[in-house]
């Protein structure tokens, strides 16, 4: 028998995984608020707290949570490392949301990844796929996302299977 908790991304704190599976984000929020109180220096807890706000459709609070922590970075290198940590968490959750066919939530998360990293060609390809699934892709999106320019600039960064899958949608 498959453990339903195994489908929830492993980055969530073990005491929140069941709440996440049940989409009881309020209870998971409470856990992260306690974790932050106990370990205020742990950036990861803030990344998750912001993600929980995003899952509750509270995008402004999610962004504020993330930017508050990112603004505390001492150097560009540190800021870049912290941003990569956040983006990895967002990417894993977007993948999970797509797996459970919550395409709208996956699309929102991928939009946030794009805002932080507009040149991430693979994220944009996934965003295109989600937009097609949600029947919301427009030429204006492709222009805004600079997909043609990015494909020309970063041909070696493109995951070939992802590109083929996107072209097939």
């Amino acid at each position: 028998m498959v453990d339903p908790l195994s489908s929830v991304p492993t980055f969530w704190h073990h005491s929140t995984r069941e709440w996440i599976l049940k989409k009881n984000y309020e209870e998971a929020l409470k856990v992260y608020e306690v974790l932050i109180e106990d370990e205020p220096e742990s950036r990861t807890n803030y990344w998750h707290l912001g993600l929980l706000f995003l899952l509750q459709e509270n995008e402004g609070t999610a962004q504020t949570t993330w930017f508050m922590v990112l603004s505390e970075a001492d150097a560009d290198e540190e800021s870049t490392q912290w941003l990569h940590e956040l983006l990895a968490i967002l990417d894993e959750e977007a993948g999970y949301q797509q797996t459970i066919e919550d395409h709208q939530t996956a699309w929102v998360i991928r939009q946030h990844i794009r805002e932080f990293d507009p040149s991430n060609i693979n994220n944009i390809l996934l965003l295109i796929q989600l937009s097609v699934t949600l029947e919301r892709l427009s030429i204006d999106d492709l222009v805004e996302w600079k997909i043609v320019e990015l494909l020309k600039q970063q041909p070696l960064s493109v995951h070939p299977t992802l590109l083929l899958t996107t072209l097939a949608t």
Side-chain angles (χ1 to χ4, degrees):
M1 179 170 189
V2 175
D3 176 11
L5 292 179
S6 67
S7 66
V8 176
T10 57
F11 66 71
W12 291 107
H13 191 272
H14 65 354
S15 64
T16 62
R17 293 182 79 220
E18 187 173 337
W19 300 123
I20 300 298
L21 181 66
K22 294 177 181 177
K23 296 190 177 200
N24 188 339
Y25 302 128
E26 279 297 321
E27 291 301 318
L29 268 172
K30 290 176 188 175
V31 172
Y32 276 101
E33 287 170 349
V34 169
L35 288 170
I36 287 171
E37 207 172 284
D38 291 345
E39 302 175 57
E41 70 287 344
S42 173
R43 293 180 312 276
T44 305
N45 290 331
Y46 289 96
W47 304 151
H48 294 117
L49 182 68
L51 180 53
L52 284 166
F53 286 128
L54 187 61
L55 292 172
Q56 289 184 306
E57 300 178 10
N58 192 342
E59 292 183 53
T61 305
Q63 289 177 336
T64 299
T65 302
W66 296 325
F67 283 120
M68 178 186 70
V69 176
L70 288 169
S71 70
E72 294 176 6
D74 291 331
D76 286 343
E77 184 178 304
E78 187 176 59
S79 177
T80 301
Q81 176 191 349
W82 293 6
L83 184 57
H84 284 305
E85 293 170 5
L86 171 59
L87 292 175
I89 288 169
L90 294 178
D91 183 63
E92 186 173 351
E93 184 63 26
Y96 169 69
Q97 294 295 327
Q98 196 164 353
T99 299
I100 63 168
E101 298 186 3
D102 187 343
H103 301 295
Q104 177 61 36
T105 301
W107 185 89
V108 168
I109 295 169
R110 293 228 170 265
Q111 280 285 34
H112 282 273
I113 293 170
R114 187 186 65 79
E115 288 176 20
F116 281 116
D117 187 5
S119 64
N120 182 333
I121 186 70
N122 293 313
N123 181 66
I124 292 173
L125 292 172
L126 289 165
L127 195 51
I128 290 169
Q129 288 180 20
L130 288 164
S131 296
V132 168
T133 300
L134 294 168
E135 299 179 357
R136 67 183 311 160
L137 183 66
S138 72
I139 295 297
D140 292 338
D141 291 333
L142 298 175
V143 171
E144 179 186 340
W145 299 339
K146 301 179 182 177
I147 187 67
V148 173
E149 294 90 342
L150 290 172
L151 285 169
K152 287 178 183 177
Q153 293 169 358
Q154 306 177 35
L156 299 178
S157 299
V158 178
H159 190 281
T161 306
L162 179 58
L163 179 59
L164 290 173
T165 305
T166 304
L167 291 173
T169 49

